[in-house]
Amino acid sequence: MASKQDELFRFVEYSPENAERIGYSNYSYWRSVMQNFLKRKSAVFMLFVFVGLVIFSFIALAIGKYDWATLVTNTDLAFHKPDGEYWFGCDNLGRDYWCQVWYSMQTSVKLAALVGGGECVLGIVIGCLWGYVRWLDRPITELYNIINNVPMIIYLTLIALIFRGLSFPVMCITLIAFGWLVMARNVRNLVFMYRDREYNLASRCLGTPISRVLVKNIFPYLISVIVLRLALSIPGTISLETTLSYLGLGLGIETPSLGILLRNARNYFVDYPYLLVFPAVVVALITITFYLLGNAFSDASDPRNHV
């Protein structure tokens, strides 16, 4: 009986290779993010819509019959309605509206992407220092309160007067310089919440550098908030540029943008609604797609939603 039990049960020799293979987890953060994102069919559809819209803007300029850079004013074609020759019609100066709308979309998307990326980088850096380095909490808080208590329109008006208008680089730098506040505040609150967790305290006691603690232990919990804020910042920048152009504080007329087209259409849209409809539809599509994409990717990037 004993010999039979010895045949059925025996001690297994320890093997470091087998132990490591059994304990290995095949989990990948970014692969899990993509898997969760692809489950949202509506978000994937919106992603294709936005990418298709951007690609089509280049195709539209290539197949257009006129060039936006060599627009010739022709008063005989003023308010020419859309037809086979002028697909989006002509504006009040007789200029082809098709090339203006699609080039303006490229300008607005480029502006929004640069501003959103700049706000993201600056906000993350300042927010991490604000939340993790204790002695920086008071000075950055005071700086935040000073900037945040003055409406941005006042800053932009003063800068427009100083530079005699807002060129593309000046508007980018200005919006980044005063737009990092929300991102930094959100990052600071999360860093402040996670910095004293047990595993972070243990890492610091073991001598782990602050940069590694922030990147490896805290940053994954910030990604969902960062992505959501970035996704909201891009349509928000386009809306802000539209508002500024409507008020006469936006980009110059030498740089066509969706805001300038909407500003120019405000006096004529009752009699010529196509001047307002085409750029407004493009702005609405960009805003809606980015909002839905941001929410979906924010949920997918939250580690708490990963299995």
Side-chain angles (χ1 to χ4, degrees), residues 21-212:
R21 184 171 62 253
I22 294 173
Y24 172 72
S25 174
N26 198 29
Y27 172 78
S28 172
Y29 173 78
W30 290 109
R31 184 171 64 245
S32 182
V33 169
M34 295 307 301
Q35 289 174 351
N36 288 340
F37 178 77
L38 294 176
K39 293 177 182 178
R40 305 283 293 270
K41 303 301 181 183
S42 60
V44 175
F45 174 75
M46 287 298 172
L47 178 61
F48 279 107
V49 169
F50 176 75
V51 173
L53 198 63
V54 173
I55 295 175
F56 182 76
S57 68
F58 292 93
I59 298 175
L61 292 177
I63 65 176
K65 300 179 180 180
Y66 302 93
D67 184 10
W68 72 270
T70 57
L71 292 175
V72 178
T73 299
N74 187 350
T75 55
D76 295 334
L77 294 173
F79 301 116
H80 186 82
K81 294 184 178 179
D83 58 14
E85 178 68 18
Y86 299 96
W87 298 328
F88 279 4
C90 297
D91 62 4
N92 59 312
L93 298 177
R95 300 174 300 184
D96 179 54
Y97 212 49
W98 170 271
C99 60
Q100 290 190 70
V101 169
W102 294 114
Y103 184 81
S104 297
M105 177 199 160
Q106 293 181 10
T107 301
S108 296
V109 171
K110 187 191 306 181
L111 175 69
L114 291 174
V115 172
E119 290 179 359
C120 181
V121 173
L122 189 60
I124 291 172
V125 173
I126 295 178
C128 288
L129 295 175
W130 189 5
Y132 201 89
V133 183
R134 298 178 186 273
W135 64 270
L136 287 176
D137 184 67
R138 182 63 181 272
I140 297 181
T141 301
E142 295 300 330
L143 176 64
Y144 173 88
N145 291 331
I146 292 172
I147 298 176
N148 191 51
N149 287 330
V150 179
M152 184 178 288
I153 192 69
I154 295 179
Y155 294 121
L156 294 171
T157 302
L158 292 175
I159 293 174
L161 292 174
I162 293 172
F163 290 94
R164 298 180 180 179
L166 293 175
S167 62
F168 189 89
V170 171
M171 178 170 278
C172 282
I173 296 173
T174 303
L175 294 179
I176 292 172
F178 299 106
W180 57 269
L181 301 175
V182 178
M183 176 71 79
R185 184 189 63 201
N186 293 337
V187 170
R188 179 260 182 191
N189 293 338
L190 289 175
V191 171
F192 191 80
M193 184 193 318
Y194 289 111
R195 71 179 183 185
D196 292 330
R197 295 289 177 90
E198 290 81 1
Y199 52 88
N200 288 325
L201 293 175
S203 296
R204 298 212 303 262
C205 291
L206 293 173
T208 305
I210 294 178
S211 58
R212 185 173 178 82

